[in-house]
Amino acid sequence: MGTISVAGVTRRLGSTTALRDVSFTVDSGEHVGLFGPNGAGKTSLMQLLSTLASPDDGCIRIDGDEVTPDATAVRAKLGVVSHRPMVYGTLTARENLRLHARLRTVDAARVERVLEDVNLRTHASTRVADFSHGMTKRLSIARAVLHDPTVLLLDEPYAGLDQRSAMDLQRILTRFDDRTVVIATHDLERAVDDCDRALVLVDGTLERTVSLTDLDRHSFETEYLEAVGRSDLQ
């Protein structure tokens, strides 16, 4: 479970074509990174995968079901971590997750297990407004996996984190290695550790697919820079 199929997807935003005839597949349990310079189409693609928008042409399917804004069954399979944490600062970590558990009709007992998974059990009674950025990011991941989704969509999960917090987050994400993961990030170095494969977008097109198996950071950086036409920066 958790297979993704993107076939001939085009997305227009006014007079701008954000995505142009993009096609790829993601196997169940595979971790795939989306890379590209600003304006490459990563955010537009993540919005489509998250059911927040529909393509103008083409089709996206998860486990054979078409992904559309009203696809309730598909949405139940998704755990999304975006730039916005989607948690309430006036509530504690535990209260936030209990609220989401009720909305998702999830057993309240799972809240404690998920808090443990993201190393927030000892801070469960602390108001989120008092959390560091890294702790809030971990709570966002807890919220995203609370309903046990088969697909995780992570949009710039390392943004704004210091090195220690980023390393902590990376360790936490390894606990969900059994899920299908799509991660949009500018962090080329962590991609080699986090992903099985990289998709490089340039000006809305899928410019290159790179297998990250046995590839070191420098080799991937070379592939990436060549794909985006910046080999002069090596």
Side-chain angles (χ1 to χ4, degrees):
M1 301 292 286
T3 58
I4 300 172
S5 171
V6 177
V9 164
T10 294
R11 172 69 169 159
R12 302 181 186 90
L13 301 174
S15 60
T16 301
T17 301
L19 294 169
R20 184 179 293 102
D21 195 24
V22 172
S23 298
F24 62 89
T25 59
V26 181
D27 293 333
S28 177
E30 188 178 16
H31 292 199
V32 170
L34 300 180
F35 299 89
N38 292 334
K42 300 187 301 297
T43 296
S44 293
L45 182 53
M46 291 296 275
Q47 288 176 340
L48 295 178
L49 292 170
S50 303
T51 76
L52 296 178
S54 296
D56 293 287
D57 295 301
C59 182
I60 299 176
R61 295 184 182 277
I62 293 180
D63 292 332
D65 297 324
E66 187 170 0
V67 177
T68 62
D70 59 353
T72 305
V74 170
R75 196 173 295 118
K77 300 178 181 182
L78 302 176
V80 180
V81 177
S82 65
H83 295 286
R84 296 170 54 198
M86 291 188 284
V87 292
Y88 297 97
T90 56
L91 301 181
T92 67
R94 181 179 285 115
E95 288 168 343
N96 266 284
L97 294 186
R98 284 179 175 174
L99 172 61
H100 282 281
R102 288 197 296 272
L103 293 173
R104 292 278 195 172
T105 63
V106 172
D107 188 337
R110 181 161 169 76
V111 168
E112 301 305 316
R113 294 198 297 272
V114 171
L115 283 168
E116 187 71 35
D117 285 341
V118 298
N119 298 339
L120 285 178
R121 189 72 177 270
T122 58
H123 300 283
S125 298
T126 302
R127 286 194 326 150
V128 174
D130 298 322
F131 273 13
S132 67
H133 180 62
M135 292 168 67
T136 302
K137 185 75 74 171
R138 282 150 52 192
L139 183 60
S140 296
I141 292 172
R143 173 196 52 74
V145 302
L146 185 62
H147 60 292
D148 201 25
T150 55
V151 177
L152 288 179
L153 304 175
L154 310 177
D155 193 359
E156 295 290 354
Y158 297 110
L161 297 182
D162 59 37
Q163 186 173 7
R164 179 173 179 177
S165 296
M167 291 176 63
D168 287 343
L169 179 60
Q170 191 171 33
R171 282 195 293 269
I172 288 167
L173 290 176
T174 62
R175 298 175 184 175
F176 306 106
D177 276 348
D178 58 329
R179 320 293 170 106
T180 302
V181 177
V182 178
I183 176 171
T185 179
H186 288 286
D187 195 330
L188 302 184
E189 183 172 358
R190 295 195 188 282
V192 176
D193 296 326
D194 290 348
C195 302
D196 304 306
R197 188 159 49 102
L199 307 178
V200 182
L201 294 168
V202 180
D203 294 331
T205 64
L206 180 55
E207 185 69 24
R208 186 169 300 190
T209 298
V210 182
S211 172
L212 297 177
T213 305
D214 299 325
L215 202 65
D216 61 26
R217 184 198 62 80
H218 178 73
S219 298
F220 175 52
E221 183 176 326
T222 299
E223 290 258 15
Y224 172 79
L225 292 174
E226 288 177 351
V228 301
R230 303 290 296 279
S231 58
D232 58 303
L233 298 183
Q234 293 181 54

